[in-house]
Amino acid sequence: MVAVKAYELRNKNKAELLKILDEQKQELASLRVQKVAGGSASKLHQIGLARKNIARTLTVINQTQREQLRLFYQKKKYIPLDLRVKKTRAMRRALTPFEKKLKTQKQQKKENHFPLRKYAVKA
Amino acid sequence: PKSKAAAAKKAALKGVHGKSVRKVRTSAHFHLPKTLRLSRKPKYARKSVPHLPRMDQYRVVRNPLNTETAMKKIEEHNTLTFIVDVKANKHQIKDAVKRLYDVEALKVNTLIRPDGKKKAYVRLTADVDALDVANKVKRILVIYIDTN
């Protein structure tokens, strides 16, 4: 069994990828039948390879899909929740850097009039 | 001047104390009034893309059984036995068998084995021979081996 290569898959379009995925699943199904019917050790080894092939195809499908979606939503105001930054719940609700650096006018004036002075000792 | 005249006209027509009309209640019970129900117009999809079908035919049917009792069932009762995903129900099994092997199932009986796997007895319609289907499955194997 050939191991599909991910970089080859990335050139394909969605319909082809889905077809490849279907074929891989059929191979896996037939291998499972052989396992029950007492397959040779080499055939049983192929099962692992088939599973990973399916995983690779699915990864490529999902990765390209999400990448395209991110491009699509780049300029938009609202983006789907699973494309948003995950971080942690608390960090998402924390003040933004802009909000953190806001100062009252009173404080701004104080800082302007009484900045931190630097002194040097004359040697 | 014009507004004064309009106000005077209104007062003359409607009277100075506006009367509110009471609704006629024909029933002694108060029921929930029908309000406006708007349909959803989401500003963004919550999930970016809907998932591929999770319970596709390859997931439902795992492998056919070829034990002695299974063979007996094929020959005598025209049924195939499969090990099937535990989460699959009879409708899904029937559909999956149809997609995989192109056969119609008359009925599906399921049980959960003591080792936690689900076994499905799929009785095929009279116009199909279970023995042929079983051999065909093996033939599909052969084709795949050849392409490799």
Side-chain angles (χ1 to χ4, degrees), chain A residues 18-32:
Chain A
L18 286 174
K19 200 164 82 64
I20 289 171
L21 181 66
D22 201 57
E23 285 168 15
Q24 299 288 342
K25 287 192 179 180
Q26 279 178 341
E27 281 206 53
L28 181 60
S30 70
L31 284 170
R32 288 222 173 93

Side-chain angles (χ1 to χ4, degrees), chain B residues 40-146:
Chain B
R40 287 200 187 195
K41 278 199 197 66
K43 292 217 169 116
Y44 62 95
R46 293 312 184 260
K47 274 184 131 187
S48 56
V49 76
H51 201 278
L52 285 171
R54 286 170 223 261
M55 255 315 195
D56 61 350
Q57 70 263 36
Y58 301 107
R59 164 105 188 253
V60 169
V61 168
R62 291 271 306 184
N63 54 283
L65 274 178
N66 64 350
T67 55
E68 282 182 23
T69 25
M71 291 292 125
K72 238 176 126 182
K73 284 242 179 290
I74 289 179
E75 287 159 24
E76 289 176 24
H77 302 292
N78 205 32
T79 68
L80 297 169
T81 40
F82 296 100
I83 298 294
V84 144
D85 191 84
V86 194
K87 294 192 185 164
N89 59 22
K90 289 182 182 179
H91 299 291
Q92 286 171 338
I93 295 166
K94 188 167 175 177
D95 200 43
V97 166
K98 179 146 181 223
R99 276 180 219 264
L100 286 173
Y101 305 120
D102 271 329
V103 279
E104 280 283 338
L106 241 189
K107 64 168 174 165
V108 177
N109 289 2
T110 57
L111 61 86
I112 299 190
R113 291 154 117 208
D115 68 355
K117 301 202 181 121
K118 196 177 240 182
K119 178 157 62 175
Y121 296 97
V122 181
R123 168 128 188 218
L124 306 174
T125 51
D127 60 345
V128 184
D129 190 13
L131 202 54
D132 291 341
V133 180
N135 289 333
K136 188 172 75 158
V137 174
K138 273 195 238 144
R139 230 194 315 128
I140 295 173
L141 298 178
V142 172
I143 292 171
Y144 271 113
I145 295 168
D146 285 345

Side-chain angles (χ1 to χ4, degrees), chain A residues 4-14 16-18 20-21 52-68, chain B residues 52:
Chain A
V4 287
K5 296 195 202 286
Y7 69 85
E8 284 171 19
L9 289 177
R10 285 189 208 277
N11 304 330
K12 309 222 158 111
N13 67 5
K14 188 167 169 190
E16 288 176 19
L17 283 173
L18 286 174
I20 289 171
L21 181 66
K52 296 307 168 187
N53 282 342
I54 292 172
R56 252 176 245 127
T57 344
L58 277 173
T59 308
V60 170
I61 290 173
N62 287 325
Q63 269 180 350
T64 44
Q65 224 169 32
R66 287 175 75 94
E67 211 187 295
Q68 290 297 317
Chain B
L52 285 171

